[in-house]
Amino acid sequence: MEPATFVLFGATGDLAKRKIYPALFQLFVDQKLPPSFSLIGLGRRGLSHESFQANVEQSLITFSRSEVKDADVMKKFLRAFRYHVLDIDRKEDYTKLLRLVEERENELNITPNRMFYLSVGPEFFETIAANIHESGLDSANGWKRLVIEKPFGHDLSSARQLNTKLNQAFNETEIYRIDHYLGKPMVQQIGHLLHSALSEQEYRTRKIASVQITANEVLGVEERAGYYDHAGAIRDMFQNHMLQLLMMLTIELPNRSSVEEVGKLKRNVMKALKPLNKTDVTHHIIRGQYGAGEIQGEQVVGYTDEPGIELGSHNDTFIAARLQINDPFWKDTPIYIRTGKRLKEKATRIVIEFNSEGPLKDLLIIEIGPNERIFFQRSQSGMENSDVEIPIRSQHSFMKEVVKDAYEILIHDALIGDKTYFAHWDEVELSWEWVQPILDAYRENLLPLHIYPAGTYGPSESDKLLEIDGFHWWFDAKNVSINDATKGESFEAQKAELIEL
């Protein structure tokens, strides 16, 4: 691996503490960082190099998945860290930064390869990229790479504008758009695992009846109110994470897939998605916002009573959608996606239901979080303790592996220049094109905002979205109420009753 300088904007922020530093430390422990490595953290707060290193050490003690035991290892890791005060809008600060970067490169006698990681709000991306370019930070004889976090724009127009601005300083091959779902090992293999599973036993000739992709969160907006009240579930989760899951599920990657092959297959999925227009969005999209309720035995306030949220906000915290892919394999299969906050359980899973007659249903279940596994399950509608779990041969080697954090995988890939599991601009643009009519319908208030109690599975209208087609959400433990009928056992309760074959 080539030596590199890691320039981190937002070095005192929450993402850096929780994800970036622990990922870098794990890569260091696993000997997957360059032998000569320099990190320069940037922030507005005045800190000495030593104070910065102490803060990084504390974040590792708190958040690292590896126990921090060896003081010498920690000392050697932190030796690479320096801190520099930088105001994002002040051009002279970038000139000073360039001098520090060059001093460190000369001190370590390393090639001027520079990775600029923007762990800051998306409203700063354009300014930072322009100032990097104008200051000459990007003009050295080594490679340069720009790593940015989603969201990539807030609608189709702004995404295009952002991309145009970034391309004035970096070309597409140098821009790494992180979607941490793409760093999950299960997600990277999901299409291959699906097709391997479908090749087993009697499933070779079985037709898929429906697909459900769920990403439920128990947490509310927490400390992200300022961002979230302008983003909502549709921008924070649906346009990126959920559509990326859909793309990865519905493609079958050949072994040793190239960046070009992966990008082409994913673009084909987005191009094949049946488009919506704002007048028929109401037939395919459910929009919700959490009200007061109970989460794990504790009373919680509704969204508009959260600190930092505008009273009377119509922002969405839940979205459910019905989609259709117009290609030979998926064209007759409805795909349902839902994601939301303050729901009953934290779970990211995909459920594939096969065509069958009678109450006995065959399901292929792909768990992405909090656990990772894939298995068949046979469930009989309306009968308790009827679930039979059928292991899948192709999952065994995968499940024995230690699951790495997504940021470890993606930061390592960025350092070696592998863009396979980063979002390409074409995918981002096609995703925004599909989502834009929904945003237009939201803005013109063409779509009702359904209030759902915290601690449930979202608005009852999301159930009706499936009932029209003869389906229901699998593994929802519904509390009996006026709006919500009981529909099955909770997923955790069912798993406890599984009969292992």
Side-chain angles (χ1 to χ4, degrees), residues 396-417:
H396 293 335
S397 60
F398 175 80
M399 298 311 299
K400 290 178 183 176
E401 296 178 5
V402 175
V403 177
K404 300 177 182 177
D405 181 79
Y407 276 86
E408 292 171 34
I409 295 171
L410 294 174
I411 288 175
H412 179 263
D413 285 352
L415 284 168
I416 64 174

Side-chain angles (χ1 to χ4, degrees), residues 429-454:
E429 184 178 38
L430 288 166
S431 298
W432 278 120
E433 284 180 359
W434 198 87
V435 166
Q436 189 60 50
I438 308 173
L439 297 176
D440 293 340
Y442 280 18
R443 187 180 62 253
E444 297 177 29
N445 205 26
L446 301 177
L447 204 62
L449 180 67
H450 303 286
I451 306 300
Y452 60 93

Side-chain angles (χ1 to χ4, degrees), residues 210-213 321-322 334-337 465-466 469 471 473:
S210 70
V211 175
Q212 299 177 13
I213 304 176
R322 181 202 292 116
I335 298 172
Y336 306 100
I337 294 178
L465 187 69
L466 278 69
D469 300 330
F471 299 105
W473 294 109

Side-chain angles (χ1 to χ4, degrees), residues 152-167:
F152 316 118
H154 59 267
D155 59 12
L156 180 58
S157 175
S158 64
R160 285 173 172 164
Q161 177 183 327
L162 172 61
N163 193 62
T164 298
K165 293 289 187 181
L166 294 181
N167 285 159

Side-chain angles (χ1 to χ4, degrees), residues 210 212 214 216 282-288 318-322 336-339 343-344 353 450-453 456-488:
S210 70
Q212 299 177 13
T214 292
N216 290 345
T282 53
H283 303 297
H284 300 275
I285 304 295
I286 302 298
R287 176 191 186 197
F318 177 96
I319 180 173
R322 181 202 292 116
Y336 306 100
I337 294 178
R338 63 173 172 173
T339 183
L343 300 175
K344 189 174 181 65
E353 180 178 340
H450 303 286
I451 306 300
Y452 60 93
T456 64
Y457 284 91
S460 59
E461 286 77 9
S462 70
D463 299 321
K464 296 170 187 174
L465 187 69
L466 278 69
E467 289 170 0
I468 292 171
D469 300 330
F471 299 105
H472 62 84
W473 294 109
W474 283 98
F475 311 120
D476 281 8
K478 293 289 186 180
N479 293 318
V480 178
S481 69
I482 295 173
N483 294 322
D484 295 314
T486 302
K487 293 186 179 179

Side-chain angles (χ1 to χ4, degrees), residues 59-126:
S59 74
L60 297 177
I61 293 170
T62 307
F63 299 112
S64 175
R65 72 178 177 88
S66 286
E67 190 176 350
V68 181
K69 295 183 290 188
D70 193 324
D72 290 337
V73 170
M74 176 63 74
K75 187 176 180 180
K76 187 177 179 182
F77 174 68
L78 293 175
R79 199 179 298 153
F81 285 66
R82 298 291 185 275
Y83 185 79
H84 182 73
V85 175
L86 182 137
D87 185 319
I88 287 171
D89 295 313
R90 191 180 299 155
K91 296 182 185 296
E92 54 266 35
D93 283 3
Y94 292 81
T95 304
K96 295 176 184 176
L97 172 61
L98 174 59
R99 287 200 293 268
L100 175 59
V101 170
E102 291 176 336
E103 286 173 10
R104 287 290 289 157
E105 290 168 345
N106 292 332
E107 180 184 337
L108 299 171
N109 192 28
I110 61 176
T111 307
N113 299 318
R114 298 166 186 171
M115 189 162 92
F116 304 96
Y117 195 122
L118 276 52
S119 178
V120 295
E123 65 271 21
F124 301 117
F125 291 171
E126 293 180 22

